[in-house]
């Protein structure tokens, strides 16, 4: 793979070109990562690719090596690993709450202390998630609560 970068003030906008003999899984992954910058993710549902605004996302979850995206209305699949999602969306208000889950902080309705320093989070759709004790302190810090 070759990468060429041309920085010049003659350009009015950013243009990214991908030239390849075929559309591969790696190229699809690169496109997904770039879309995150514009707050969109390419997700899949029933063999259809959908561009999803990140502000619609409640949380991400990994189940049996597949990463799923949950919104109020639907569930989608994404071709990224959870750590890749975390790296790209941490600045947009997302936080890891367990080994298998990343949560959108803006979609939290309430918090409740649970056993063993865990936290039970209720989302705006009524769904409940458990924040493991390893991530509970960071959630409290990010929300400014004790």
């Amino acid at each position: 793979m070759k990468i060429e970068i041309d920085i010049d003030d003659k350009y009015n906008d950013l243009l990214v070109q991908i030239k390849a003999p075929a559309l591969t899984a790696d190229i699809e992954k690169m496109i997904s990562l770039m879309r995150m910058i514009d707050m969109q993710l390419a997700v899949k549902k029933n063999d259809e690719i959908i561009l999803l605004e990140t502000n619609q996302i409640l949380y991400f979850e990994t189940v049996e090596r597949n990463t799923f995206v949950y919104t109020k209305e639907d569930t989608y699949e994404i071709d990224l690993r959870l750590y890749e999602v975390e790296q790209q969306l941490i600045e947009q208000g997302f936080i890891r709450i367990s080994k298998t889950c990343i949560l959108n902080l803006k979609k939290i309705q309430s918090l409740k202390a649970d056993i063993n320093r865990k936290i039970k989070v209720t989302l705006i759709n009524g769904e409940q998630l458990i924040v493991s004790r390893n991530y509970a302190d960071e959630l409290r810090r990010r929300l400014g609560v004790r």
Side-chain angles (χ1 to χ4, degrees):
M1 175 170 62
K2 295 190 299 185
I3 299 174
E4 294 180 21
I5 300 174
D6 183 7
I7 306 293
D8 196 321
D9 59 3
K10 69 182 178 185
Y11 302 118
N12 295 327
D13 203 2
L14 175 67
L15 170 67
V16 177
Q17 289 184 337
I18 298 173
K19 297 178 181 180
L23 182 62
T24 64
D26 285 341
I27 292 172
E28 287 177 347
K29 195 177 280 192
M30 283 190 298
I31 292 167
S32 291
L33 289 168
M34 285 188 287
R35 287 198 189 283
M36 281 188 201
I37 295 168
D38 284 337
M39 304 303 132
Q40 283 186 328
L41 291 175
V43 297
K44 294 179 187 175
K45 179 148 179 118
N46 301 329
D47 296 327
E48 182 179 7
I49 296 175
I50 299 159
L51 294 179
L52 186 65
E53 300 287 330
T54 56
N55 62 5
Q56 296 178 277
I57 298 169
L58 299 174
Y59 64 99
F60 296 86
E61 182 180 38
T62 298
V63 178
E64 295 178 4
R65 296 187 152 203
N66 296 314
T67 305
F68 296 94
V69 181
Y70 297 87
T71 67
K72 277 176 113 174
E73 298 81 26
D74 227 330
T75 302
Y76 305 93
E77 193 168 349
I78 189 166
D79 286 334
L80 298 173
R81 301 267 187 243
L82 211 54
Y83 77 90
E84 294 170 318
V85 171
E86 181 179 26
Q87 289 171 347
Q88 295 298 317
L89 294 179
I90 195 161
E91 298 296 323
Q92 279 71 45
F94 287 80
I95 185 171
R96 169 104 44 169
I97 62 167
S98 69
K99 287 183 180 181
T100 61
C101 191
I102 294 174
L103 172 66
N104 185 344
L105 291 170
K106 299 170 193 141
K107 303 301 181 181
I108 295 174
Q109 180 177 317
S110 66
L111 305 171
K112 184 178 181 185
D114 205 17
I115 58 172
N116 294 332
R117 293 184 42 232
K118 295 178 184 177
I119 299 172
K120 186 179 290 187
V121 173
T122 302
L123 302 178
I124 59 172
N125 67 343
E127 191 169 349
Q128 294 184 331
L129 300 174
I130 299 295
V131 180
S132 75
R133 66 175 185 245
N134 294 334
Y135 298 93
D137 289 341
E138 178 64 13
L139 176 67
R140 286 186 194 95
R141 187 189 71 72
R142 294 270 303 268
L143 292 174
V145 297
R146 295 208 171 241

